[in-house]
Amino acid sequence: MQNTNLSAEKIILGIDPGTRYLGYGLIRTHKDQVTILQYGVLNLTKYTTQGAKFLKIHERVLHLLEEFMPDEIAIESPFFGKNVQSMLKLGRVQGMVMSLSYSKQIPITEYEPKKVKQSVTGNGNASKEQVSKMVEIISGIKLESKLHDATDALGIAICHHFHSKNLTSSVKGTQKGWGAFVNENPDRIK
């Protein structure tokens, strides 16, 4: 049973997907209080095949889900860059995380990188260092400065916390498109 009381304590897993480095961060929220439970980076550079990388990602994310039993998951959506192959690989990682989320009936929400930066720092073009510094300020703890993928994941989780009052996430998927519009605007549907 998912936690629907916004003032109740909630555990959020943030994921910064990657095929070289996957960042993850777990936070506990209660009202405006954010406590970091765990964060880290899964280094996938030592694995030579996509299959080995995907297996490692599957194992680690499943372990996090079973150990911390998060109420919700937030993941960064892939953005279109110059390299289409990179975007496809990131999409596969994102799909794997989404599948694990659905299998555990945990709601998952996607956030664009600019949205995360805007929510955490107030600047959609903020650097990784600026995101890391604001995560430190919000959480009240000093973070390891070299783990930018992990601090990005914490930023994604914090972004989700900030936006959770406006979301009606469900296990059916992310709150985008017509389904979200209908849920958020029932009075406008005839």
Side-chain angles (χ1 to χ4, degrees):
M1 185 78 175
Q2 297 301 316
N3 188 349
T4 57
N5 184 349
L6 294 177
S7 65
E9 188 174 274
K10 187 184 334 184
I11 295 176
I12 302 169
L13 170 61
I15 299 280
D16 183 16
T19 56
R20 293 178 42 82
Y21 302 97
L22 180 134
Y24 61 90
L26 284 135
I27 63 171
R28 176 182 292 125
T29 64
H30 181 71
K31 298 183 181 179
D32 291 332
Q33 182 77 25
V34 174
T35 305
I36 295 175
L37 300 176
Q38 187 179 99
Y39 65 101
V41 175
L42 182 58
N43 182 348
L44 302 162
T45 59
K46 59 187 170 191
Y47 302 101
T48 57
T49 67
Q50 287 298 309
K53 290 178 180 187
F54 289 158
L55 182 59
K56 226 23 174 173
I57 292 167
H58 183 275
E59 289 171 353
R60 184 65 184 140
V61 172
L62 184 60
H63 176 77
L64 291 169
L65 297 180
E66 290 173 347
E67 180 180 355
F68 290 95
M69 297 184 297
D71 297 292
E72 297 170 2
I73 298 173
I75 189 167
E76 189 172 80
S77 60
F79 59 95
F80 182 74
K82 294 179 181 177
N83 188 335
V84 176
Q85 288 299 316
S86 292
M87 190 177 92
L88 289 171
K89 289 175 186 176
L90 286 177
R92 291 176 186 140
V93 172
Q94 184 188 35
M96 182 187 320
V97 172
M98 293 174 123
S99 178
L100 286 166
S101 170
Y102 299 144
S103 74
K104 297 291 185 183
Q105 297 185 339
I106 302 170
I108 186 166
T109 306
E110 298 175 64
Y111 294 95
E112 295 175 0
K114 279 189 174 279
K115 179 75 148 186
V116 173
K117 292 174 183 179
Q118 177 69 38
S119 297
V120 175
T121 70
N123 176 2
N125 296 314
S127 68
K128 288 183 175 290
E129 293 80 13
Q130 290 170 316
V131 171
S132 180
K133 185 64 178 169
M134 283 307 297
V135 168
E136 286 182 346
I137 291 168
I138 292 165
S139 67
I141 69 165
K142 179 78 174 141
L143 302 171
E144 294 182 48
S145 61
K146 301 286 184 195
L147 298 178
H148 288 302
D149 294 292
T151 56
D152 283 352
L154 288 168
I156 295 162
I158 291 169
C159 170
H160 180 70
H161 169 60
F162 289 162
H163 290 275
S164 65
K165 294 176 183 146
N166 299 323
L167 293 175
T168 54
S169 293
S170 71
V171 294
K172 293 180 182 173
T174 60
Q175 291 300 300
K176 290 185 177 182
W178 284 108
F181 178 81
V182 170
N183 286 338
E184 294 169 6
N185 300 284
D187 56 318
R188 297 181 70 185
I189 307 302
K190 294 182 184 191

